[in-house]
Amino acid sequence: MIKAIRVGVAVLATSAFLAVAVQPVQAAGRATTGASADRESRLGTRTQPLRWAAPHDLRIGTAVAGGGHHLEQEYPDPFTYDRPYRRVLGREFNSASPENQMKWEFIHPERNKYNFKPADAIVRFARQHGQVVRGHTLLWHSQNPAWLQEGEFTKGELRAILKEHIFTVVGRYRGQIHQWDVANEIFNENGEYRQENIFIRELGPGIVADAFRWAHRADPKAQLFLNDYGVDWPGVKVDAYEALAKQLLADRVPLHGFASQAHLSMRYGAPDQLAGVLQRFDDLGLYTAITELDVRMDLPEGGVPTAEQLQTQAAYYKTVLDACLAVEDCNSFTIWGFTDKYSWVPVFFPSEGAATVMWEDFSLKPAYFALRDTLAAAR
Ligand code: 9MR
């Protein structure tokens, strides 16, 4: 009964908010300063935040901007000085993923030097705001420091370097990390191990199991994940992950979860088979998660998405959330940044953008309301 009442309220709210949400686009283009956008932002602050709309067993997260190649010139580290950004971050989410601050390049810039400050700040902020943290990432082919990528190491040295890194970084945040993306993007689209990954290339794929074992010893409570993009539809890449997960579990390696990043483009259709993909890993007894969702679109001339594009985007966001909600142990749902102000998308995909759920001034897009109302209805 109580559930029915809640759902009823959510439905009423949906239609009212969708009407408001579309308004700034039609009335004032991007409307970063328009009156309607202001009104919408204020409405947004008064409505139930995403984290409170969500079912209790599902964490709602975002990437915390900072350190990215797309940010370093203009915005050295928005998390530290953009107060409206911090307010929304604290209000809306109960999980935080450092977008770059825990990657090797940032946290381990020299062989014998770690830089924990930016990651520490996020972990502290998260604690103060009742948020968990997703650690990202330990074994990846990208954003590694030159000393590592270009160094001349024996196999033994390289293995020792990885082990030391994992024990140091995971150990520092022991007990404070909900989930670690231990292995990130380790397969190519054809399901073969990615040879660009220095550890896999030099040490062989068995290093993946070692990374999980070391991470588990360093923080026995953290849930340890495989994480990748391009796994939203069934295919050889998903098959490769399923085979690996089965093997790791058979070998009693501490693997706890499989995650789809879900970087989506409206060019390719909404991932309507994602629930089935996640279910395959749930069936193995693993947690599943959505870790980096964003939905980019081709921007029309002038750069302002149409109302129709925004509705389509909202439907994509909802499709991904629905998939997670449909799978029993999908326990974490993270969007890769919540505002276009700091999104990585336009830098990496120059003709696309508007990929997040809020405009640059934090006013809310239809995608935000689609998430909020879908969460409320599932609660
Ligand atoms: O959002 C991140 C951006 O700031 C970095 O410049 C970029 C460098 O590769 O990485 C972005 O985050 C990636 C994430 O760590 C792993 N999955 C893909 C994400 C988007 O590229």
Side-chain angles (χ1 to χ4, degrees):
M1 186 59 170
I2 289 174
K3 194 161 188 177
I5 292 169
R6 275 208 194 108
V7 171
V9 171
V11 169
L12 269 180
T14 310
S15 31
F17 286 126
L18 277 180
V20 176
V22 177
Q23 219 177 347
V25 181
Q26 292 166 334
R30 246 304 299 111
T32 44
T33 52
S36 52
D38 287 351
R39 187 160 71 96
E40 191 189 342
S41 300
R42 285 200 304 276
L43 270 173
T45 60
R46 270 194 262 128
T47 62
Q48 190 185 33
L50 295 176
R51 61 186 288 178
W52 299 116
H56 299 297
D57 53 359
L58 179 63
R59 290 283 172 171
I60 305 300
T62 179
V64 178
H69 295 125
H70 65 297
L71 295 168
E72 60 200 358
Q73 299 306 327
E74 218 175 330
Y75 305 108
D77 199 346
F79 171 71
T80 59
Y81 63 82
D82 185 333
R83 297 183 68 176
Y85 179 86
R86 286 172 73 94
R87 253 198 316 277
V88 177
L89 175 65
R91 183 182 76 221
E92 294 289 336
F93 302 95
N94 58 15
S95 177
S97 302
E99 183 173 7
N100 291 290
Q101 302 88 334
M102 286 187 181
K103 293 172 179 173
W104 276 74
E105 174 175 70
F106 290 90
I107 210 163
H108 198 167
E110 291 166 37
R111 185 164 180 185
N112 295 311
K113 194 177 144 219
Y114 285 88
N115 172 24
F116 292 118
K117 235 174 126 193
D120 284 358
I122 293 173
V123 173
R124 198 177 325 116
F125 180 94
R127 197 182 321 117
Q128 288 162 352
H129 292 81
Q131 301 171 328
V132 295
V133 177
R134 293 197 83 266
H136 177 79
T137 175
L138 301 170
L139 183 82
W140 192 26
H141 64 276
S142 180
Q143 288 184 278
N144 289 327
W147 70 263
L148 172 67
Q149 284 294 130
E150 288 150 33
E152 305 224 330
F153 304 113
T154 65
K155 287 187 195 310
E157 282 168 342
L158 193 61
R159 194 180 144 80
I161 286 170
L162 178 64
K163 183 175 180 184
E164 190 264 351
H165 177 91
I166 290 179
F167 272 95
T168 305
V169 176
V170 178
R172 181 174 183 91
Y173 302 111
R174 183 186 176 101
Q176 302 184 77
I177 302 286
H178 180 216
Q179 303 179 334
W180 263 109
D181 292 329
V182 174
N184 195 41
E185 304 171 4
I186 56 172
F187 289 118
N188 290 321
E189 300 320 294
N190 64 4
E192 283 169 12
Y193 278 100
R194 204 191 263 273
Q195 295 305 313
E196 291 152 88
N197 183 310
I198 184 173
F199 301 108
I200 290 176
R201 183 178 65 242
E202 301 298 326
L203 305 174
I207 195 64
V208 174
D210 287 331
F212 277 91
R213 290 191 185 100
W214 294 329
H216 186 59
R217 275 169 53 199
D219 186 353
K221 291 216 174 109
Q223 297 170 6
L224 306 183
F225 271 70
L226 294 163
N227 187 50
D228 210 332
Y229 63 83
V231 290
D232 308 300
W233 283 268
V236 285
K237 198 170 183 182
V238 171
D239 294 345
Y241 274 107
E242 190 179 33
L244 173 63
K246 283 182 179 164
Q247 189 60 53
L248 292 174
L249 293 172
D251 295 342
R252 298 189 166 278
V253 173
L255 166 71
H256 308 118
F258 169 80
S260 164
Q261 296 176 1
H263 290 291
L264 302 174
S265 161
M266 278 164 45
R267 290 180 186 177
Y268 308 119
D272 52 11
Q273 297 181 61
L274 179 54
V277 170
L278 298 179
Q279 188 61 48
R280 283 162 63 180
F281 294 89
D282 193 87
D283 289 345
L284 300 178
L286 295 175
Y287 293 112
T288 55
I290 303 299
T291 50
E292 304 181 14
L293 174 60
D294 50 22
V295 181
R296 58 191 191 269
M297 61 182 84
D298 288 295
L299 295 174
E301 219 161 295
V304 182
T306 64
E308 196 189 337
Q309 282 181 304
L310 293 173
Q311 294 301 338
T312 304
Q313 181 186 49
Y316 273 59
Y317 269 93
K318 181 170 161 42
T319 299
V320 177
L321 177 56
D322 279 337
C324 180
L325 289 168
V327 175
E328 171 117 31
D329 281 329
C330 183
N331 65 357
S332 180
F333 177 87
T334 289
I335 56 180
W336 205 238
F338 54 87
T339 167
D340 288 347
K341 188 171 182 184
Y342 302 125
S343 170
W344 70 291
V345 166
V347 175
F348 286 74
F349 301 94
S351 64
E352 297 176 81
T356 74
V357 302
M358 296 184 199
W359 299 110
E360 296 192 3
D361 64 356
F362 309 106
S363 55
L364 309 171
K365 297 181 189 172
Y368 172 92
F369 295 105
L371 292 184
R372 211 270 322 274
D373 295 339
T374 303
L375 289 170
R379 201 173 145 121

